[in-house]
Amino acid sequence: MPVLHHYALSAASRIVRLHLAEYEREHELKTQLPWQRDEAFLALNPAGDLPVLVWPDGRHLAGARVICEWLEETTAEARLLAGDAGQRAEIRRLFDWFEIKFTAETSAPLLRERVVKRFSSAAPVSSQTIRAALANSQIHLGYINWLLETRSWLAGEAMSLADLAAAAHLSVLDYFGDISWDKYPEAKLWFMKMKSRPSYRSLMGDHLAGFPPARHYAEVDF
Amino acid sequence: MPVLHHYALSAASRIVRLHLAEYEREHELKTQLPWQRDEAFLALNPAGDLPVLVWPDGRHLAGARVICEWLEETTAEARLLAGDAGQRAEIRRLFDWFEIKFTAETSAPLLRERVVKRFSSAAPVSSQTIRAALANSQIHLGYINWLLETRSWLAGEAMSLADLAAAAHLSVLDYFGDISWDKYPEAKLWFMKMKSRPSYRSLMGDHLAGFPPARHYAEVDF
């Protein structure tokens, strides 16, 4: 059984957890603290990023995008990167939107200021950076809401990797209670659908010492 | 014929220029200045990034990763994302290495400090940021050199999208004469192979007013 090296508040790790669960691919989870230098982990992924999926025979895959494409290529009933080349491009565009743009503007600065700095740095936490990251998140939520006014799911009429990527990133903000969901009614309905999926359940069980989840984090009807 | 909205010193744009040229897919180039706010361009790609490929009927694809995957899926003789799922994962890992990690650590800060700030910002150029970005590039060059000690091409025994991504990013540094190639003999041999390909020719013709290329930029044997 492969082991997913992950961190509970790493959005990229959460994408792969959702994806593995959607396809009921057995795996174990192993926590890797993003702020700890770990030579064994760097040997698996010289880029140093999470997540990494490792098999007992040593084979391993690093990075959410790489693992998700691989899962689509090796799962018989794969259905999350479906459609013609144009549709698949739209799914990948939105996947990258969250994995690159949302990461840079919101997920990465929030994780760094709130979590990583607490454990690893003498640098003071910047409340200004946190405020800017949360302000950015509202622009993204507005964009999601706008997309969902004309689409059932983010990339079209079927659930896709784009929904997993968006839900994973937003789920970390939701853990901290950062989202005013009532301002984004279409996004809220969509997130309720995502939260009600069996694949989301393992995320709901996350509970980090020192960082209790917000009150409605584990509720499907929030 | 589609139009590729690009900028000559945008590494992501250069990946797609190489890819289109490898498959001899006809296209026109249209320069989009990364520091200019352009509502028509934002309508094509709300993320605001280059490159974007646009067809006369309005269809468009945004982002190097999206366009490259699309080209692989729609080109009959596609050969740059070949092999089994594990091999394709290795190609994508290295593609993302350059498009995400190298971009963050080297390409983006260099472009911002050297080019964007000259045209768009009152902020002073940070020579410290430039030095740090160039120091980072040496770690990446060392990694490339190490990979090429045991492989003919970056991701294995065949040229792939990983080579296009790496060559595109390094080509921008090469434009400025930033690379001490003699320190990386395997990487140098590989880059000579990349430069000698017909697909690289259009990059060699780039010549930006105010930023003349380094002396050996257009030479295959540098």
Side-chain angles (χ1 to χ4, degrees):
Chain A
M1 192 188 307
V3 175
L4 184 71
H5 295 245
H6 84 121
Y7 180 63
L9 298 178
S10 145
S13 301
R14 285 178 167 230
I15 298 175
V16 174
R17 289 167 69 194
L18 289 173
H19 202 179
L20 288 165
E22 281 289 334
Y23 293 160
E24 299 178 14
R25 307 256 308 214
E26 288 202 337
H27 61 283
E28 287 174 8
L29 292 176
K30 179 166 187 254
T31 291
Q32 179 72 34
L33 301 177
W35 56 88
Q36 267 185 358
R37 189 170 174 89
D38 177 339
E39 297 299 333
F41 179 70
L42 284 173
L44 290 172
N45 183 16
D49 300 325
L50 290 168
V52 180
L53 190 61
V54 185
W55 281 263
D57 65 4
R59 278 182 307 133
H60 54 276
L61 298 173
R65 210 265 287 191
V66 168
I67 298 171
C68 290
E69 294 273 355
W70 183 90
L71 281 169
E72 289 301 307
E73 292 184 357
T74 60
T75 303
E77 72 278 21
R79 56 182 156 72
L80 294 169
L81 186 58
D84 63 16
Q87 176 59 29
R88 291 158 64 91
E90 179 64 355
I91 294 167
R92 289 189 175 112
R93 178 182 77 86
L94 289 164
F95 187 95
D96 287 0
W97 184 288
F98 289 94
E99 266 296 276
I100 299 176
K101 192 174 179 65
F102 193 89
T103 293
E105 298 180 0
T106 297
S107 297
L110 283 183
L111 188 69
R112 189 174 61 241
E113 296 298 330
R114 279 179 171 157
V115 183
V116 175
K117 275 191 176 175
R118 190 190 291 197
F119 295 105
S120 70
S121 169
V125 172
S126 164
S127 56
Q128 191 184 356
T129 301
I130 292 176
R131 275 198 304 276
L134 292 176
N136 290 336
S137 76
Q138 296 189 36
I139 298 168
H140 291 279
L141 279 158
Y143 183 56
I144 292 172
N145 202 69
W146 177 79
L147 285 174
L148 291 167
E149 285 171 1
T150 57
R151 300 172 171 189
S152 304
W153 299 90
L154 278 185
E157 293 314 301
M159 195 181 83
S160 74
L161 289 181
D163 299 286
L164 267 50
H169 280 270
L170 293 177
S171 74
V172 179
L173 273 71
D174 197 49
Y175 184 93
F176 288 105
D178 285 328
I179 303 174
S180 302
W181 284 110
D182 289 339
K183 289 163 70 179
Y184 312 100
E186 299 298 331
K188 181 177 180 174
L189 282 171
W190 161 84
F191 199 58
M192 286 169 74
K193 282 197 293 185
M194 293 304 296
K195 273 184 125 169
S196 65
R197 296 188 71 81
S199 62
Y200 201 95
R201 258 178 233 145
S202 99
L203 303 189
M204 284 183 177
D206 287 344
H207 194 301
L208 275 86
F211 302 100
R215 195 149 48 100
H216 299 292
Y217 173 68
E219 292 173 16
V220 170
D221 191 359
F222 45 98
Chain B
M1 192 189 303
V3 175
L4 184 72
H5 295 246
H6 84 122
Y7 180 63
L9 297 177
S10 145
S13 301
R14 286 178 166 230
I15 297 174
V16 174
R17 289 166 69 193
L18 289 172
H19 201 179
L20 288 165
E22 281 289 334
Y23 293 161
E24 300 179 13
R25 306 250 320 207
E26 289 202 336
H27 61 283
E28 287 175 8
L29 292 176
K30 180 170 186 248
T31 291
Q32 179 73 34
L33 302 177
W35 56 89
Q36 267 186 359
R37 188 171 174 87
D38 178 339
E39 297 299 334
F41 180 69
L42 284 172
L44 290 172
N45 183 15
D49 300 326
L50 290 168
V52 179
L53 191 60
V54 184
W55 280 264
D57 66 4
R59 279 181 305 132
H60 53 276
L61 298 173
R65 208 268 284 193
V66 168
I67 298 172
C68 290
E69 294 273 357
W70 183 89
L71 281 169
E72 288 301 307
E73 292 184 357
T74 60
T75 303
E77 71 278 21
R79 55 182 156 72
L80 294 169
L81 186 58
D84 64 15
Q87 175 59 29
R88 291 159 65 90
E90 178 65 355
I91 293 168
R92 289 189 175 110
R93 178 182 78 83
L94 290 164
F95 187 94
D96 287 1
W97 183 289
F98 289 94
E99 265 296 275
I100 298 177
K101 194 173 178 66
F102 193 89
T103 293
E105 298 179 359
T106 297
S107 297
L110 282 183
L111 188 68
R112 190 173 59 241
E113 296 299 328
R114 280 179 170 157
V115 183
V116 175
K117 274 191 177 175
R118 189 190 293 197
F119 294 105
S120 71
S121 169
V125 172
S126 165
S127 56
Q128 191 185 355
T129 300
I130 292 176
R131 275 198 304 276
L134 291 176
N136 290 336
S137 76
Q138 296 187 37
I139 298 168
H140 291 280
L141 279 157
Y143 183 55
I144 292 172
N145 201 70
W146 178 78
L147 285 174
L148 291 167
E149 284 172 2
T150 57
R151 299 171 171 189
S152 304
W153 299 90
L154 279 184
E157 293 314 302
M159 194 180 84
S160 74
L161 289 181
D163 299 285
L164 267 50
H169 280 269
L170 293 177
S171 74
V172 179
L173 272 71
D174 198 50
Y175 184 93
F176 288 105
D178 285 328
I179 304 174
S180 302
W181 283 110
D182 290 339
K183 288 164 70 178
Y184 312 101
E186 299 298 331
K188 181 177 181 175
L189 282 171
W190 162 85
F191 199 58
M192 287 169 73
K193 282 198 292 185
M194 292 303 297
K195 274 184 129 171
S196 65
R197 297 187 71 80
S199 62
Y200 201 96
R201 258 179 232 145
S202 100
L203 303 189
M204 284 183 176
D206 287 344
H207 195 300
L208 275 86
F211 301 100
R215 197 150 48 102
H216 299 291
Y217 173 68
E219 291 172 15
V220 170
D221 191 359
F222 46 99

